[in-house]
Amino acid sequence: MAGYSKETARLWMAMDIGPLWIGRDEDDPLSPQSIAKDSTAKEITTAPKSVAEQNSTHSDAFKPASTLNKTPPHEHSVLTSPESHKPKTFELKPIRRSFAEPGIVEVDSELLTRAQNADWKTLQTLVSQCTACKALSQSRLSTVFGTAEKTAKMVIVGEAPGRDEDLQGKPFVGKSGELLENILRSLGLRRGADVAIINVLKCRPPNNRDPHDNEIAACATFLTRQLELLDPKVIVLSGRIASHALLKTEMSTGRLRGQTHHIEVNGKPIPTVVTYHPSYLLRSPTEKICAWRDFNLAKKLLLELS
Ligand code: URA
């Protein structure tokens, strides 16, 4: 293809995508809408669900953590309507499983109350002092607060730190971070200055296991406050854990991606795009075209709103 630079070609190679990236202005043939039109199309598959995922409801996430262990509400309104922007209501099922590690989370209500009104720096300190999730706070080497500059208008929400992030105290610095950074650079977006990167959990789950619902709920106050302070124009939810936690749904990433959802931040509905997690893309490189389209959608929304 004529007209692309060596740098672009290098990024494409790094992302293992080559000419698959062309045709970005076309309708996404893999979006749920296009698939729905094609009655013969097969359902998009995502990574196999773990037992924990199949049983997970995430119904405790994003309640103030001080209300943990109380009966969850059976309904929760979330702004996540692709076409109409009308709030959609999801029925929340009661939690069926007991927390996998009972008693592991003991929230410090006073710390969380302070977090609700903290500035960025104070919030970072409060996160570093948090020991609510016993297993995580005992095994972590560092808390991973996030990368953000005041100029960032887009926020990417990932899952939780992995080994490299735990070692360095920064989000997305391992292999999946490399891929994420390549995607951003190929879109002309700078990590930090244009795009803030934060995670649902600030501590690494031992052996990179999925975060438990009560851990997500315990960390929700921090994430909510981060979003309030960042006041983004566009949010990208990277993978199942982030989209389930923030959209309050159990739909697969394949079904949620390719459309615009909305999450309420500071009383405003913020356009939100769901995409595959980079670590899933590393295992399933053919899905990178979907991520490319999702990030293009996010960038288009950003340009429209800037
Ligand atoms: N995966 C994530 O979701 N977040 C990180 O920071 C690193 C890997």
Side-chain angles (χ1 to χ4, degrees), residues 144 158-162 165 170-173 176 199 238 277:
V144 178
E159 177 179 326
E165 291 76 20
K170 292 185 194 141
F172 282 104
V173 288
S176 50
N199 282 310
S238 181
H277 191 281

Side-chain angles (χ1 to χ4, degrees), residues 278-305:
S279 62
Y280 172 66
L281 296 176
L282 290 170
R283 296 194 305 273
S284 312
T286 54
E287 303 283 24
K288 285 180 183 172
I289 187 164
C290 297
W292 174 249
R293 290 179 191 278
D294 298 333
F295 274 99
N296 270 285
L297 170 60
K299 188 177 174 188
K300 182 169 151 268
L301 292 167
L302 187 64
L303 293 176
E304 281 169 8
L305 294 164

Side-chain angles (χ1 to χ4, degrees), residues 21-39:
W21 290 127
I22 63 172
R24 66 184 75 164
D25 295 328
E26 297 159 18
D27 282 345
D28 179 354
L30 296 177
S31 74
Q33 290 89 340
S34 305
I35 284 170
K37 275 188 220 148
D38 179 0
S39 57

